[in-house]
Amino acid sequence: MLRITDVKAFTVQSNFEWGFIRIYAGDLYGTGETAGSPLAINNVIPYVRKLLIGEDALKRNRILEKLKYAFSYSGTTVYFIISAIDIALHDLIGKYLNIPVWRLIGGDRDEVRVYVDAHASKSMEIVDAALTEVFPDWIKQYGDKTRFETERMSTLTEPMVGRISTQQWNKDYTPENYAERAREIVNEGFTAVKFDLDIPTPYLKDYNSRSGQLSLKDIDYLTSIVKAVREAVGGDEIDLMFDLHWKFNINTAAKICKALEPYRPRWIEDPTSAFSSLTLNMDEINLVTQKCCVPIATGENLFTYYQFKDLLKTGISIWTPDLTKAGGITEGVKISELASLFDIEISPHNIASPIGAMAAAHAMSVANTFGGVLEWHAHDLPFWNDIVKPKRRIIDRGFIRLTDEPGLGIDLDMDAMKKIWSDFEI
């Protein structure tokens, strides 16, 4: 028996909010993460502690079933917490058995290809759980080492994504600057990169933005960005993806897909609001895939393999689950097995710290239809590698290489964490 003795949690503001959960079995512990929107973590942990203390961590399935029933009235938000617990249990069990998670779950892929989510010529703004721009204290500490957008939003009280945000164009959104960013990333050894196209153009009208439409001049401008990026990376050996963040209506999405087709994007992601978990509309998603001539990707806001099962009837050929919210490593393996049955590509969304990123990499080791690209949203975060031990470059020339270190293979460096967030304790 590996009896659970305590559960602790702490949330920090990074480029997104990262919520860490640590499960103890005496002096041994495992660490998990929920990334992006750990809204309920502080309120839920007292209940989780009551439910988990005394349980055998090796009976992971029993624990997960217990949590699902315990939070039946709490909605899908609780899956942020369950995901972190599942990752922590895998880390704990791997350490106890002295085996890496990827071998524990039967994986065979020991190299996981990574793509950079570049946003534009800088990384996307630093955001909190409401996707509104914030300016954490560590910005002063790292100064010029950071490279985040700060000039796009007209107000700080609106979310970065969707149709309600009021945005203004600036030089970060020129084709030339996109192209330069693409060249930099490819020169670092990455073979895949994703850019955002839900951006202001010099021609954008507020009345169009609110209804999810673009003018032909807007679409031509976005197309010029994609053309510049494709030409900058030197041909078709580099995979290019473009994220629309639930911004547009069906007709505009179809026009964008048609305009971008000559530049052969690997995928277009989340083109209409139907793809958001708050407004998930399978019928509209089906219409989008019928009208669009390039592969469509979605899934970062879906929970459990049950919701991914519902995508089967929509024509979506690329699934992008975020394992720090969809259910952790356990659910990630289930989603990948379902994808494999229908030969659907799985390429996880990832806005996490190294803990969540490594969890996704371990899960993809066993995924038969892993598309070869795991997202990395922290390219311009100067401390991403510094906050873990043992010290090594986790992503090297576009790959995460899984080792035989037990558990996730990395741990949080408490001293490094406290240098950034002085009150960090877990």
Side-chain angles (χ1 to χ4, degrees):
M1 175 178 285
L2 184 59
R3 190 180 299 279
I4 295 173
T5 56
D6 203 0
V7 182
K8 296 181 180 180
F10 200 94
T11 299
V12 301
Q13 176 66 63
S14 182
N15 56 329
F16 293 89
E17 289 188 14
W18 296 340
F20 298 102
I21 290 180
R22 185 165 282 178
I23 298 177
Y24 287 85
D27 292 333
L28 198 63
Y29 61 80
T31 305
E33 179 182 357
T34 174
S37 185
L39 296 169
I41 196 167
N42 292 329
N43 291 330
V44 173
I45 285 301
Y47 299 100
V48 169
R49 186 177 289 114
K50 180 170 67 172
L51 292 165
L52 262 59
I53 288 178
E55 287 284 346
D56 182 357
L58 296 173
K59 296 180 178 179
R60 182 171 43 81
N61 184 64
R62 168 184 159 78
I63 291 171
L64 295 177
E65 287 294 295
K66 187 176 184 181
L67 291 171
K68 291 173 187 176
Y69 285 112
F71 296 112
S72 295
Y73 294 159
S74 300
T76 51
T77 299
V78 77
Y79 269 92
F80 287 93
I81 313 303
I82 291 176
S83 300
I85 291 169
D86 178 80
I87 294 168
L89 287 172
H90 276 88
D91 188 35
L92 174 60
I93 293 168
K95 289 175 179 175
Y96 178 71
L97 299 176
N98 196 34
I99 188 172
V101 169
W102 67 281
R103 293 196 184 277
L104 181 68
I105 62 177
D108 61 274
R109 184 183 287 107
D110 59 6
E111 288 190 343
V112 175
R113 190 163 70 115
V114 174
Y115 74 85
V116 175
D117 188 312
H119 176 55
S121 61
K122 296 177 183 175
S123 282
M124 193 181 83
E125 296 88 342
I126 298 167
V127 296
D128 60 15
L131 291 179
T132 58
E133 186 175 2
V134 293
F135 302 90
D137 290 340
W138 54 260
I139 285 287
K140 303 171 186 176
Q141 180 179 344
Y142 286 92
D144 293 339
K145 293 181 180 180
T146 61
R147 188 179 176 182
F148 293 94
E149 169 68 75
T150 59
E151 300 174 358
R152 173 169 57 138
M153 301 301 295
S154 299
T155 172
L156 299 182
T157 60
E158 294 174 348
M160 296 291 151
V161 299
R163 300 178 186 176
I164 202 69
S165 61
T166 308
Q167 303 180 3
Q168 53 195 5
W169 183 86
N170 66 70
K171 59 182 172 53
D172 289 327
Y173 302 108
T174 63
E176 295 77 15
N177 284 341
Y178 266 75
E180 179 59 31
R181 173 83 150 169
R183 278 190 289 267
E184 289 176 3
I185 291 170
V186 169
N187 287 340
E188 292 171 15
F190 290 92
T191 57
V193 58
K194 185 171 77 177
F195 287 99
D196 291 343
L197 291 182
D198 59 316
I199 58 168
T201 78
Y203 315 107
L204 189 66
K205 302 293 190 297
D206 287 343
Y207 58 80
N208 274 344
S209 180
R210 186 65 179 88
S211 57
Q213 299 185 76
L214 288 179
S215 70
L216 293 178
K217 290 187 75 172
D218 290 318
I219 293 173
D220 286 346
Y221 186 82
L222 297 181
T223 304
S224 72
I225 288 175
V226 174
K227 180 176 184 290
V229 169
R230 173 57 77 194
E231 291 175 350
V233 299
D236 297 326
E237 292 187 2
I238 303 300
D239 287 318
L240 297 177
M241 297 81 79
F242 298 94
D243 201 335
L244 305 186
H245 283 126
W246 319 288
K247 180 83 168 181
F248 303 112
N249 60 26
I250 290 178
N251 289 333
T252 293
K255 290 175 184 177
I256 292 172
C257 288
K258 182 66 174 177
L260 301 192
E261 186 179 11
Y263 307 105
R264 293 188 278 185
R266 187 181 180 104
W267 72 65
I268 300 295
E269 189 168 342
D270 291 331
T272 78
S273 61
F275 291 78
S276 168
S277 63
L278 296 178
T279 56
L280 194 64
N281 183 338
M282 296 299 178
D283 293 327
E284 182 178 330
I285 291 173
N286 188 44
L287 287 174
V288 172
T289 58
Q290 288 178 20
K291 285 178 172 289
C292 286
C293 46
V294 297
I296 304 296
T298 195
E300 68 187 67
N301 287 329
L302 301 186
F303 299 90
T304 79
Y305 74 99
Y306 292 108
Q307 291 195 341
F308 282 89
K309 172 184 65 67
D310 293 337
L311 282 181
L312 290 172
K313 61 185 178 183
T314 66
I316 295 294
S317 57
I318 297 153
W319 291 356
T320 59
D322 188 320
L323 304 193
T324 64
K325 68 172 77 169
I329 293 171
T330 296
E331 209 68 30
V333 172
K334 291 180 181 179
I335 294 167
S336 70
E337 288 174 345
L338 179 61
S340 180
L341 287 175
F342 296 90
D343 215 22
I344 291 170
E345 177 180 333
I346 181 169
S347 289
H349 177 260
N350 168 48
I351 56 174
S353 82
I355 297 295
M358 286 298 292
H362 282 275
M364 290 303 99
S365 177
V366 76
N368 291 326
T369 55
F370 171 58
V373 275
L374 167 66
E375 184 171 18
W376 185 40
H377 218 301
H379 180 273
D380 297 312
L381 198 61
F383 51 76
W384 199 81
N385 281 291
D386 299 339
I387 62 173
V388 295
K389 57 183 183 182
K391 297 301 178 187
R392 64 183 178 91
R393 189 169 183 81
I394 296 169
I395 300 172
D396 184 27
R397 296 195 64 79
F399 285 87
I400 293 176
R401 290 171 176 84
L402 300 174
T403 71
D404 282 327
E405 290 291 320
L408 293 177
I410 60 171
D411 197 0
L412 293 176
D413 184 324
M414 295 297 289
D415 290 337
M417 295 292 286
K418 290 188 177 198
K419 286 181 181 178
I420 304 166
W421 304 283
S422 59
D423 57 343
F424 184 79
E425 190 64 49
I426 195 171

